Amino acid sequence: MTSLAPSRPSSAHGVGPWRSSGVFIGRSLRHSLRDGEGMLMAVALPVMMLLLFTYVFGGAIIADGYVDFVVPGVILTCAGFGAASVAISVNRDITLGAMRRFRTLPIISATVLAGHVVASVLRNLVATMIVILVALAIGFRPSATVLEWFAALGLVAVWILAITALFACIGLASGSVEAANGYGFILLFLPYLSSAFVPIGTMPSWLQPIATHQPMGPLVEAIRALLTGVGEAPVLASLAWSCGIIALSMVLIALALPRSKDR
Amino acid sequence: MNGTLEISGLSKSYREPVLDHLDLTIDGGVFALLGPNGAGKTTLVSILTTLVRPDSGCARIGGVDILASPREARRLFAATGQETTLDDLLTGRENLVMLGRLLGLGRGASRRAEALLEQFDLAPAGRRPVATYSGGMRRRLDLAASLLTRPAVLFLDEPTTGLDPVSRNRVWDDVRALAATGTTVFLTTQTLDEAESLADRIAVLRAGRLVADGTAEELIAAVGGQRLSLLDSEGIEVRGIDTDGTAASLARALSSLHAHEEELHVALRSPSLDDAFIALTQTHQEVAP
């Protein structure tokens, strides 16, 4: 090794929370871009699902115009696919040591979570856009005005933020990367138990209230109503669920983050 | 730059006591903390690097109280642990640039990253993801990450565990070069070679207490004594008898020989740091209830 003297290292001032969040967002986006398979899955799975439901099951479920019925559900299912990967990213940081170094830097180390969350929201919004474009290409004909489009996309964005935050907690609390990965199934299950793919009226009567009132129930209804003009849009109920999940996740993160130290 | 480390009355228990009212002041140079597994070395480093809070006591780095102002303290030290703390998905260069930005180097981060990659002979590898690195390369990159800025105190927790001899020697060279620039190095290790070859001062931690503190020679002298070795015709020790070094104890040792041993050659040997370490850690094991 040559001498350490010539490059004259300066002292470590550290940076504020905005600056460090910016650095961590850049890091997480780089992870997303580098993880080609992950990106492919985040986009390909929802697109496959859209095609599968439209062309294979569609005829049996609703003979005509099923594409208009199913798109809101596919958008939300897609949001779930992508967000679940945050649990893995957060858990990797804790179990593989990166967090240990971040905690010894003169920064607020919790901003590493901001990086993962923001990158996940962006990644999911991109995947959502692609799903919408494919849907339009295969015959999705929304009646929404520009304002309704923004309202629908806003609801989707807040929902993505909510489940991303929830999965960040799951990543903090999970003992291993494999365990963190496993919890993703919960979100893949939720959309089926709503009007996303089949009308709620076709479910057994005891199941209908659950499907109507679970977090994704009102959301599917609201997005479908905003985009296609069918039924009422329970916007407030959707926002209440999303914001509730965000608030709960914040509390859980605040509790779980200090505990994740000793691992 | 003030690389003084002051520790007073530091205690920490997880179910059982791990550190027991530890007092220690380090003024500079390379300080090696030796101790068997479970002696409390890693817990001490975790406390000093603000990752774990002690139950009682306090510690100052360069005069800054690490418990009262952890963020201020984090400006003064860097740490490289037993497990590397790198981002596997990023390249070596990206890791250094990211950490440099977090440390506040701004645009200077990339220049500093290049210089370090060059210094640590990682320049070509710097463009590959860290996931493709060997163990030795990871350790070196992790050490480079600790030198993005110039720390007053550098903590190295078993920096060469699991490295092959060539990589180990390179890390040793890096540590020596750094110490020459005036950074205080706080090293924990299980290898006596490492302590002996790097450190100006060695302390032995046993069950949360310091049981010895001084240069390698002082530690050996403290254990004292001479070992009477009985050697076969090929010079291999058949039996060793520890004596306190006085003529009387040697005479006692010689008169205790069995008849069949009287044809063997004898040699007197000063204890090595190895012997001192074993003596220090075992005696206290026997004394402790």
Side-chain angles (χ1 to χ4, degrees):
Chain A
M1 182 179 123
T2 51
S3 157
L4 285 160
S7 44
R8 279 181 197 285
S10 51
S11 59
H13 299 293
V15 288
W18 292 107
R19 205 45 87 69
S20 63
S21 299
V23 173
F24 284 129
I25 291 168
R27 166 181 184 250
S28 300
L29 285 175
R30 224 181 262 264
H31 283 176
S32 311
L33 293 175
R34 199 142 302 169
D35 179 18
E37 288 171 334
M39 274 304 266
L40 190 69
M41 294 292 267
V43 173
L45 280 174
V47 169
M48 296 291 281
M49 184 167 279
L50 176 66
L51 298 176
L52 183 74
F53 273 94
T54 311
Y55 293 116
V56 181
F57 302 145
I61 298 168
I62 299 172
D64 210 19
Y66 185 63
V67 66
D68 288 339
F69 182 85
V70 84
V71 165
V74 174
I75 290 173
L76 290 170
T77 310
C78 140
F81 278 130
S85 72
V86 167
I88 300 166
S89 312
V90 169
N91 196 266
R92 279 179 67 91
D93 277 353
I94 289 168
T95 53
L96 301 186
M99 198 61 188
R100 219 178 141 81
R101 181 172 290 276
F102 297 148
R103 282 191 159 122
T104 62
L105 298 178
I107 58 167
I108 295 173
S109 53
T111 51
V112 69
L113 293 178
H116 287 310
V117 169
V118 171
S120 160
V121 170
L122 291 176
R123 206 165 54 223
N124 282 292
L125 284 175
V126 169
T128 305
M129 291 303 168
I130 293 173
V131 168
I132 292 172
L133 289 178
V134 173
L136 290 172
I138 62 167
F140 176 48
R141 292 295 170 260
S143 61
T145 62
V146 175
L147 207 65
E148 284 167 332
W149 266 109
F150 274 109
L153 288 177
L155 282 182
V156 173
V158 177
W159 169 248
I160 291 173
L161 181 62
I163 51 175
T164 300
L166 186 65
F167 272 81
C169 304
I170 290 173
L172 278 178
S174 304
S176 69
V177 174
E178 289 74 21
N181 193 10
Y183 290 104
F185 282 98
I186 303 164
L187 273 181
L188 301 187
F189 184 74
L190 269 188
Y192 296 98
L193 193 60
S194 75
S195 67
F197 301 105
V198 295
I200 284 186
T202 63
M203 295 178 191
S205 57
W206 59 269
L207 199 55
Q208 291 183 16
I210 301 172
T212 310
H213 297 293
Q214 62 112 334
M216 290 185 82
L219 206 60
V220 171
E221 293 291 325
I223 289 168
R224 181 179 293 129
L226 286 168
L227 291 184
T228 64
V230 175
E232 291 289 305
V235 172
L236 282 182
S238 308
L239 277 179
W241 267 117
S242 297
C243 295
I245 292 173
I246 291 170
L248 176 72
S249 304
M250 295 296 208
V251 172
L252 292 177
I253 286 172
L255 291 175
L257 195 58
R259 280 162 191 263
S260 68
K261 260 186 192 182
D262 289 336
R263 255 189 260 148
Chain B
M1 191 171 46
N2 177 357
T4 309
L5 182 65
E6 301 152 277
I7 298 168
S8 65
L10 212 59
S11 294
K12 176 77 186 175
S13 307
Y14 295 102
R15 285 185 217 103
E16 284 172 27
V18 181
L19 293 175
D20 189 5
H21 292 89
L22 200 72
D23 294 308
L24 180 65
T25 301
I26 301 165
D27 285 322
V30 180
F31 172 87
L33 186 65
L34 282 171
N37 282 328
K41 300 188 300 288
T42 296
T43 302
L44 179 58
V45 172
S46 297
I47 291 172
L48 296 176
T49 55
T50 71
L51 291 170
V52 171
R53 280 188 80 85
D55 299 334
S56 62
C58 70
R60 291 169 183 279
I61 293 176
V64 175
D65 184 334
I66 65 161
L67 297 173
S69 344
R71 204 170 156 198
E72 189 64 30
R74 286 176 197 142
R75 295 189 172 140
L76 300 172
F77 70 80
T80 291
Q82 285 180 43
E83 291 138 29
T84 55
T85 54
L86 304 159
D87 186 331
D88 268 9
L89 302 175
L90 300 183
T91 66
R93 190 180 183 283
E94 286 167 343
N95 265 286
L96 294 182
V97 172
M98 171 183 73
L99 293 169
R101 295 226 168 99
L102 292 172
L103 284 162
L105 298 183
R107 285 167 194 279
S110 62
R111 220 172 328 118
R112 186 75 191 125
E114 294 295 350
L116 283 166
L117 289 171
E118 203 68 48
Q119 274 174 21
F120 283 81
D121 282 334
L122 290 168
R127 312 205 171 277
R128 290 199 326 233
V130 170
T132 66
Y133 284 24
S134 70
M137 289 162 76
R138 280 165 182 268
R139 287 296 172 97
R140 292 173 61 73
L141 185 65
D142 207 51
L143 191 55
S146 290
L147 304 180
L148 281 158
T149 53
R150 191 168 146 193
V153 178
L154 174 65
F155 293 96
L156 296 174
D157 191 12
E158 301 193 12
T160 60
T161 303
L163 291 191
D164 62 63
V166 176
S167 310
R168 187 196 59 185
N169 285 338
R170 307 198 58 163
V171 171
W172 286 2
D173 288 341
D174 296 337
V175 172
R176 286 191 197 102
L178 181 72
T181 68
T183 289
T184 302
V185 178
F186 185 107
L187 170 81
T188 74
T189 181
Q190 292 193 38
T191 7
L192 302 154
D193 283 12
E194 186 157 276
E196 208 165 6
S197 96
L198 290 178
D200 312 308
R201 182 177 160 198
I202 300 171
V204 178
L205 188 66
R206 152 99 217 138
R209 287 167 180 264
L210 287 184
V211 295
D213 187 354
T215 62
E217 294 74 29
E218 284 167 351
L219 256 59
I220 292 165
V223 173
Q226 295 278 321
R227 182 177 172 92
L228 180 72
S229 290
L230 300 172
L231 310 170
D232 64 14
S233 55
E234 283 161 13
I236 294 167
E237 185 182 278
V238 178
R239 189 155 78 96
I241 306 167
D242 291 317
T243 73
D244 64 10
T246 61
S249 77
L250 269 176
R252 264 199 308 281
L254 286 169
S255 64
S256 74
L257 296 185
H258 303 292
H260 66 92
E261 289 172 328
E262 287 176 2
E263 297 305 310
L264 294 169
H265 293 268
V266 294
L268 275 180
R269 200 160 60 80
S270 296
S272 63
L273 187 58
D274 247 310
D275 299 327
F277 178 67
I278 291 167
L280 284 164
T281 51
Q282 283 185 347
T283 326
H284 284 261
Q285 194 165 27
E286 284 154 18
V287 169

